[in-house]
Amino acid sequence: MQVGLLLVLATMLAGCSWRDPRRSPPRRLAASAAQVQRLEVTAYCPCGSCCGWERNWWGRPVYSYGPQKGQRKQIGLTASGTRARLGTIAADTRIYPFGTVMYVPGYGYGVVEDRGGAIRGQKIDLFFRTHQQALEWGRQHKDIRIWLP
Ligand SMILES: [Zn+2]
């Protein structure tokens, strides 16, 4: 009986951590409201080379370049303050503001929650958990369905 309970708990926990937010839209979306644009799609992960940080003498993560060079950097937090996860997209927020929903063929649903120094114009960056997965995505051009907030 205890084994059964453990199994139920394990299944519930696994259900939580393995749920991939890219499989379903993050909010109700009207198909008619989507616009389709061909964008250049690259990929990133939380690592220092993707996100521009390094460890200082004390082993603390700091910005490795740019105006905040040397200042403390919170790893894994997006520019909008959310925790980066599968489905997090970095975009040029002058065109695609935070909260814009996108459907990227081969990736799934995502939400613009981040920005990047090199992400300007018709270009987006998809979050992956590992650098290897980001490398495997590489650079692709895709027809993206876009729902502005
Ligand atoms: Zn990386």
Side-chain angles (χ1 to χ4, degrees):
M1 184 223 154
Q2 273 189 331
V3 172
L5 186 63
L6 279 175
L7 270 174
V8 169
L9 274 173
T11 313
M12 281 167 59
L13 289 171
C16 271
S17 53
W18 291 104
R19 213 179 79 85
D20 188 336
R22 298 172 299 175
R23 285 212 193 116
S24 52
R27 55 181 159 87
R28 260 174 106 81
L29 299 169
S32 57
Q35 40 176 307
V36 178
Q37 287 181 25
R38 195 158 183 84
L39 303 182
E40 183 182 334
V41 188
T42 51
Y44 72 111
C45 85
C47 84
S49 83
C50 286
C51 294
W53 62 269
E54 60 193 9
R55 292 195 185 275
N56 66 9
W57 282 28
W58 312 103
R60 298 203 176 108
V62 294
Y63 288 92
S64 51
Y65 53 78
Q68 291 170 283
K69 182 173 163 61
Q71 290 175 33
R72 280 298 294 276
K73 162 105 170 118
Q74 292 259 40
I75 298 172
L77 277 195
T78 65
S80 65
T82 59
R83 192 148 284 282
R85 58 187 161 80
L86 286 171
T88 295
I89 298 178
D92 185 340
T93 50
R94 293 168 304 181
I95 309 173
Y96 312 107
F98 290 140
T100 299
V101 175
M102 297 187 176
Y103 180 81
V104 183
Y107 184 73
Y109 287 99
V111 183
V112 175
E113 290 175 332
D114 210 356
R115 276 192 282 253
I119 309 301
R120 295 277 179 265
Q122 313 298 105
K123 190 175 179 334
I124 57 171
D125 215 8
L126 305 177
F127 180 88
F128 284 91
R129 288 203 185 103
T130 68
H131 196 70
Q132 184 58 35
Q133 287 171 311
L135 286 178
E136 279 165 16
W137 179 275
R139 179 182 305 271
Q140 308 184 34
H141 287 82
K142 295 272 189 186
D143 291 318
I144 315 287
R145 275 193 283 153
I146 300 166
W147 292 265
L148 291 172

